[in-house]
Amino acid sequence: MKVLRDPADLSIARDDARRVGITVGLVPTMGYLHEGHNSLLKAAREQCDRVVMSLFVNPTQFRPGEDLGSYPRDEQRDLAIAREAGVDLVYAPEPEKIYPAGFATEVTVTGLTEVLCGSSDSRGPEHFSGVATIVAKLFNAVDPDFAYFGQKDAQQATVIKRMAEDLDFRTRVVVLPTVRDRDGLAMSSRNAYLSEGARERAAAIWKALLETESVYETAGLEAGLEAGRNELERAGITPEYFEARFPGTLDPVEAGGDEAILVAVAAEIDGTRLIDNILIEPEKGKVQTT
Ligand code: PAF
């Protein structure tokens, strides 16, 4: 497994891959890998000839005062996991290589980035400009046929799909189901921050989403959302948002009906901000359980 730190070296690998016509899969990460990342690496390994994993804690997607400085990092462990997962090439650049002096470009996807985590009471649209800019740079550097993202970050995946389509990237964005712990908590690098007590309370997030799904199917959307919010309240969690949106457009859902809906939540538990969601397809029932 190669580890490259310079975009110039990466372009040699990219040109080689194009010359011999092999398919390239990219798994973008900020490191501190967990089972969720592993499932993306596994899919990339199964579907592509060459698997590239990026490892970069992207400063521009953190708000001032957020956890950039304390974000969990362990490169040696990440490299061992990547090797085990059959990654061919890790791209782990230094921030100065990505954002050299004078860097002044930002990729902004409008609309989709102004709701949920992008609203002004949440992380704001700047977070998604940071994400879209780094992902655009990674797509340019790696030129992957496929790029893999997790459904836990449903809004991020929607924004990246829009960006890739609007900017004519040829990369297919693949979104894979959220991987959960035994009690349903979605895998996240930030779970490492949770104390034992906070970790136990955090399980209420998935319980709330399941409760919303089951009540929605029998009593409608309003009752479903209320049941979910009540479940959180019982665990002493006040969500930043707990909302139903249409998955493709992120437009609000008024009442639900024949279309799939996304119920998304963000909540801070003892200072750790967690997000999760459930995709509910009324006709097919629950589509995302693991
Ligand atoms: O989901 C993440 O880990 C990050 O937002 C990503 C896509 C790697 C961009 O920095």
Side-chain angles (χ1 to χ4, degrees):
M1 184 180 81
K2 273 192 193 156
V3 181
L4 300 181
R5 301 198 183 266
D6 197 318
D9 297 335
L10 202 67
S11 68
I12 299 170
R14 182 192 62 204
D15 295 348
D16 281 352
R18 287 290 149 249
R19 210 175 10 256
V20 293
I22 60 174
T23 54
V24 176
L26 170 68
V27 180
T29 82
M30 296 209 298
Y32 217 69
L33 303 181
H34 49 68
E35 282 307 311
H37 295 112
N38 249 330
S39 79
L40 305 183
L41 293 171
K42 187 164 177 269
R45 186 64 286 162
E46 280 166 11
Q47 291 166 9
C48 304
D49 298 317
R50 177 181 288 169
V51 178
V52 179
M53 183 184 94
S54 62
L55 186 54
F56 180 65
V57 181
N58 175 37
T60 63
Q61 67 188 80
F62 289 76
R63 269 178 315 174
E66 238 184 356
D67 57 343
L68 174 61
S70 59
Y71 194 81
R73 292 168 168 87
D74 188 341
E75 187 176 290
Q76 286 318 308
R77 177 179 165 274
D78 289 340
L79 293 180
I81 294 173
R83 197 171 289 112
E84 181 72 16
V87 170
D88 299 298
L89 197 160
V90 174
Y91 177 41
E94 293 301 329
E96 310 76 62
K97 291 284 179 189
I98 296 289
Y99 302 115
F103 187 91
T105 300
E106 207 174 69
V107 178
T108 295
V109 176
T110 55
L112 294 173
T113 61
E114 290 151 31
V115 299
L116 302 174
C117 289
S119 79
S120 53
D121 325 329
S122 182
R123 302 182 89 186
E126 303 78 18
H127 161 70
F128 289 109
S129 295
V131 171
T133 304
I134 186 63
V135 173
K137 283 183 69 93
L138 292 170
F139 282 9
N140 274 327
V142 178
D143 188 23
D145 296 276
F146 300 93
Y148 297 83
F149 298 88
Q151 169 68 15
K152 179 178 78 70
D153 298 292
Q155 185 174 14
Q156 167 174 285
T158 307
V159 168
I160 290 169
K161 275 188 178 166
R162 182 79 265 155
M163 186 272 295
E165 197 177 321
D166 291 352
L167 297 185
D168 303 322
F169 282 106
R170 54 183 213 91
T171 304
R172 277 250 315 271
V173 174
V174 182
V175 183
L176 294 177
T178 304
V179 178
R180 302 184 177 281
D181 228 326
R182 282 170 59 179
D183 60 1
L185 180 67
M187 296 284 181
S188 162
S189 304
R190 287 192 169 95
N191 292 352
Y193 298 146
L194 296 169
S195 67
E196 208 177 308
R199 172 65 194 76
E200 272 173 32
R201 284 169 61 217
I205 294 177
W206 179 235
K207 259 177 99 180
L209 290 167
L210 288 177
E211 183 67 13
T212 295
E213 179 188 54
S214 93
V215 175
Y216 168 61
E217 279 162 3
T218 53
L221 183 62
E222 212 172 302
L225 290 174
E226 195 184 325
R229 290 184 188 120
N230 289 343
E231 188 69 48
L232 290 180
E233 203 180 309
R234 277 194 288 281
I237 300 169
T238 308
E240 193 180 284
Y241 61 76
F242 192 95
E243 289 178 26
R245 299 264 163 180
F246 290 110
T249 59
L250 301 185
D251 287 340
V253 180
E254 299 308 336
D258 295 343
E259 286 178 71
I261 65 166
L262 178 80
V263 178
V265 54
E268 208 171 281
I269 304 184
D270 289 356
T272 299
R273 187 176 180 280
L274 300 174
I275 59 170
D276 201 354
N277 63 77
I278 190 167
L279 196 54
I280 307 174
E281 279 192 79
E283 280 168 24
K284 295 190 197 126
K286 181 173 62 189
V287 294
Q288 184 206 359
T289 52
T290 54

